[in-house]
Amino acid sequence: MSVIADPIIDPKRALRAARIAEFKSFARRFMRNPLGMVGLVIVIALLVCAALAPILATHDPYLPALSDRLAAPGAEYWFGADELGRDIYSRIIYGSRLTLLIVALVIVTSAPVGLVIGAIAGNYGGWVDRIFMRITDVFLAIPKLLLALAFVAALGPGIVNAALAITLTAWPPYARLARAEALIVRNSDYVNAIRLAGASDFHIIVYHIMPMCLSSVIVRMTFDMAGIILTAAGLGFIGLGAQPPLPEWGAMISTGRKFIFDQWWVATVPGFAIFIVSLGFNLLGDAMRDLLDPHLRQRR
Amino acid sequence: MIKVDHLTVNFGPSVAVRDVSFSVAQGESFGLVGESGSGKSTILRTVMGLNPDWSGSIKIDGQDTKSTSRTDLARRVQMVFQDPYASLHPRYVIGHAIAEPMRINKMPNPEKRTLELLDLIGLGGQFRFRFPHELSGGQRQRVAIARALALNPKILLLDEPTSALDVSIQAEILNLLNQLRKELNLTFVIVSHDLAVISYMCDRLMVMRNAEAVETLSRSQLRSRDIAQSYTRELIAAS
């Protein structure tokens, strides 16, 4: 049994206890969703792979062993070896780092930009809203992959440029989402109450509107991660993302394509990695939406 | 304390309040009664500056609200909203909600005053770190009242403060409000469609219908049925 902190004597601990209690009830509801748990396990496994890559890998992912070119899966090479005799299993493990790096770069740049633009547009309404939303529309009107391709072609291939290119196309949905929430929240009584207390627009947007947009944004973010992985792999596949010898999954499929009929594992294994990780993020997103979406959640 | 002259409020092409005038003295409790849509809540929101499109004049403490800054106004008048389920931010503990107006206005010792306010409204300091969803409707309305009192306003505007609450809780909240009015020497403007609430709480009241004022009565006039307008009689008969 935990000791309940006295909120008058020890306010900091009591506040933390209140937050932990909130989180526990969230975790309990999350655990009731078995598919969501599968997604969470996959995502955690990906994080573990990335963090412990040097320990988990059995070979050096970059060191060629020409005598073992295109070796079949077996005891030495668990998932086989590629056209330079590099262990595919080790490359997949190291590749998880690149995948996570791209996802993190895109999310860190696109979600906050979209959130801020959407919250500002929704809060002020009127011509501010119109200008911001028309800019958003312009970016939404251009096909995602096409804009990313053009951007990478202009800046040169590479992981960071690929991430930037995806960001350019990834922020508008967040702006839309945040604006929709902000439009609802800005007229609510609790925002009115704090406006009557003399709060500035900045204070209202940052402390009252944004926290309410956050749950939709987090849900969208989780779903988006699957899409980002696919786009990044797509860019890698056509040679505009990560460059060889980096073990990026899309680039690995691309090299394996030449051997797909005789040595199926070279292209199939990275394909499976992409498939499983995308599935994991989608399942996690589904579960998060069930819990966080303000339109699905019933009043507690 | 409050003087409203020839107030007209428009929502686009429709008129929500037409040429309404009244004044409220210091320490008085003034009621606005009428059926829904008669414009009584709109008057309160306009006084607080939540409706942009209005004409006429609103003076608080002799100062025109149009020329008073928002923070200055906030220290004189505060409002309690109708629905306590919608008026508290769901992500913040109630101690934070009560302290926030004080932090915004840079008042000293917000923590200590939050505890005092929680005691004042009869919840106590142990409620400080509860989230709104952990409280009942009556408790939430108490928190909303505490937040409104945080800036030490002299005037409290109450927009149907009990209509979202259970009947058994209504009396509690009304008694709390009466007690606070005496202790803190507050001026009330109460909006309600419930004549029983108004006659219990208010010294004077104004009856409204279709965006217009019908008549103004004192409590003794209401009790002795000294009523001029037939609409007011209908309203009393209906309640």
Side-chain angles (χ1 to χ4, degrees):
Chain A
M1 277 303 290
S2 63
V3 185
I4 295 163
D6 188 326
I8 298 170
I9 298 168
D10 195 350
K12 272 214 179 101
R13 257 187 52 208
L15 182 59
R16 205 182 322 135
R19 293 223 169 105
I20 289 172
E22 275 295 286
F23 180 75
K24 271 188 183 156
S25 90
F26 177 80
R28 237 193 333 272
R29 282 180 296 138
F30 185 86
M31 280 197 287
R32 270 188 239 137
N33 186 340
L35 279 177
M37 287 306 284
V38 171
L40 186 67
V41 167
I42 292 173
V43 172
I44 289 176
L46 178 73
L47 290 171
V48 169
C49 280
L52 304 178
I55 297 169
L56 290 172
T58 51
H59 294 72
D60 185 325
Y62 300 112
L63 196 69
L66 291 176
S67 56
D68 295 324
R69 280 187 79 232
L70 300 168
E76 172 69 16
Y77 301 107
W78 294 352
F79 292 154
D82 65 8
E83 82 283 5
L84 294 174
R86 297 173 297 194
D87 180 31
I88 292 178
Y89 165 73
S90 302
R91 285 176 69 77
I92 295 281
I93 295 285
Y94 273 91
S96 65
R97 289 186 162 181
L98 295 174
T99 303
L100 272 179
L101 176 72
I102 294 177
V103 168
L105 272 177
V106 173
I107 289 295
V108 163
T109 45
S110 65
V113 169
L115 179 63
V116 168
I117 288 179
I120 290 174
N123 178 61
Y124 286 105
W127 61 267
V128 177
D129 182 32
R130 249 170 269 152
I131 290 175
F132 275 132
M133 281 305 113
R134 290 305 80 75
I135 296 173
T136 309
D137 285 346
V138 168
F139 278 93
L140 273 176
I142 305 167
K144 257 187 158 180
L145 203 59
L146 205 68
L147 184 61
L149 277 178
F151 196 75
V152 173
L155 286 182
I159 288 187
V160 176
N161 287 348
L164 271 176
I166 299 171
T167 297
L168 212 59
T169 58
W171 68 266
Y174 293 103
R176 275 280 175 89
L177 211 59
R179 170 179 175 267
E181 294 288 334
L183 279 177
I184 300 168
V185 173
R186 72 163 174 165
N187 284 326
S188 67
D189 283 349
Y190 51 83
V191 170
N192 276 333
I194 209 68
R195 191 168 282 147
L196 295 184
S200 60
D201 280 320
F202 176 80
H203 183 99
I204 290 171
I205 291 173
V206 173
Y207 295 106
H208 291 260
I209 291 180
M210 280 194 193
M212 295 311 288
C213 304
L214 218 53
S215 47
S216 318
V217 167
I218 288 173
V219 170
R220 170 86 206 195
M221 225 155 80
T222 327
F223 278 119
D224 248 12
M225 288 180 187
I228 293 166
I229 290 170
L230 287 178
T231 314
L235 286 176
F237 183 81
I238 53 178
L240 291 174
Q243 295 301 300
L246 284 178
E248 203 273 325
W249 296 346
M252 286 167 73
I253 296 180
S254 167
T255 54
R257 195 177 39 151
K258 283 172 264 176
F259 319 106
I260 192 130
F261 294 111
D262 303 311
Q263 285 86 23
W264 53 268
W265 53 88
V266 184
T268 311
V269 174
F272 260 113
I274 293 169
F275 164 69
I276 289 170
V277 170
S278 298
L279 181 71
F281 276 115
N282 268 330
L283 291 176
L284 185 66
D286 247 346
M288 298 278 261
R289 188 186 54 193
D290 288 350
L291 290 184
L292 289 177
D293 193 322
H295 307 291
L296 289 176
R297 182 175 45 183
Q298 64 277 60
R299 198 179 244 185
R300 277 177 294 175
Chain B
M1 275 309 250
I2 305 180
K3 196 159 167 31
V4 172
D5 269 321
H6 302 294
L7 177 69
T8 298
V9 185
N10 298 305
F11 285 139
S14 63
V15 183
V17 177
R18 186 179 290 124
D19 196 21
V20 170
S21 304
F22 64 91
S23 62
V24 185
Q26 154 94 50
E28 196 184 16
S29 174
F30 187 80
L32 292 170
V33 207
E35 52 198 86
S36 48
S38 60
K40 48 199 192 324
S41 295
T42 309
I43 293 180
L44 289 198
R45 297 177 86 90
T46 310
V47 170
M48 293 307 302
L50 290 175
N51 289 326
D53 188 7
W54 59 277
S55 61
S57 96
I58 301 170
K59 280 191 176 135
I60 286 165
D61 244 352
Q63 269 189 300
D64 202 309
T65 54
K66 269 186 177 159
S67 55
T68 315
S69 75
R70 167 73 80 203
T71 46
D72 204 15
L73 194 66
R75 285 159 183 267
R76 294 162 197 267
V77 202
Q78 279 297 323
M79 181 164 170
V80 175
F81 292 90
Q82 176 176 7
D83 183 3
Y85 289 91
S87 63
L88 297 174
H89 199 290
R91 297 288 152 78
Y92 292 121
V93 293
I94 60 170
H96 180 95
I98 296 173
E100 200 173 10
M102 297 187 265
R103 294 220 176 86
I104 291 168
N105 288 280
K106 304 201 170 55
M107 284 168 70
N109 286 327
E111 307 279 321
K112 189 163 148 277
R113 228 180 103 65
T114 301
L115 292 176
E116 287 168 8
L117 281 164
L118 280 169
D119 281 336
L120 189 69
I121 53 154
L123 279 184
Q126 70 272 18
F127 279 86
R128 197 171 157 195
F129 296 111
R130 298 282 189 86
F131 284 94
H133 67 81
E134 296 175 293
L135 304 183
S136 70
Q139 288 171 326
R140 288 182 197 213
Q141 197 61 305
R142 284 166 188 265
V143 173
I145 292 167
R147 178 181 57 191
L149 291 173
L151 296 177
N152 270 325
K154 292 183 209 131
I155 306 166
L156 218 51
L157 307 182
L158 302 147
D159 184 7
E160 309 241 13
T162 57
S163 67
L165 301 177
D166 208 74
V167 180
S168 58
I169 313 290
Q170 288 188 0
E172 267 179 44
I173 297 290
L174 293 178
N175 287 332
L176 172 73
L177 286 169
N178 266 337
Q179 174 210 333
L180 289 170
R181 184 159 79 96
K182 275 199 208 94
E183 278 177 25
L184 306 171
N185 194 23
L186 297 166
T187 305
F188 278 179
V189 178
I190 305 175
V191 158
S192 182
H193 58 261
D194 188 348
L195 260 175
V197 169
I198 295 288
S199 70
Y200 179 70
M201 296 291 292
C202 301
D203 311 319
R204 283 194 311 133
L205 61 119
M206 185 167 79
V207 181
M208 290 193 65
R209 183 194 197 182
N210 291 340
E212 287 175 16
V214 176
E215 68 178 317
T216 307
L217 296 169
S218 69
R219 187 186 305 187
S220 54
Q221 276 177 308
L222 183 69
R223 297 251 161 101
S224 63
R225 297 287 189 270
D226 178 13
I227 294 154
Q229 299 292 328
S230 61
Y231 177 69
T232 315
R233 269 188 226 113
E234 278 170 40
L235 202 67
I236 291 170
S239 67

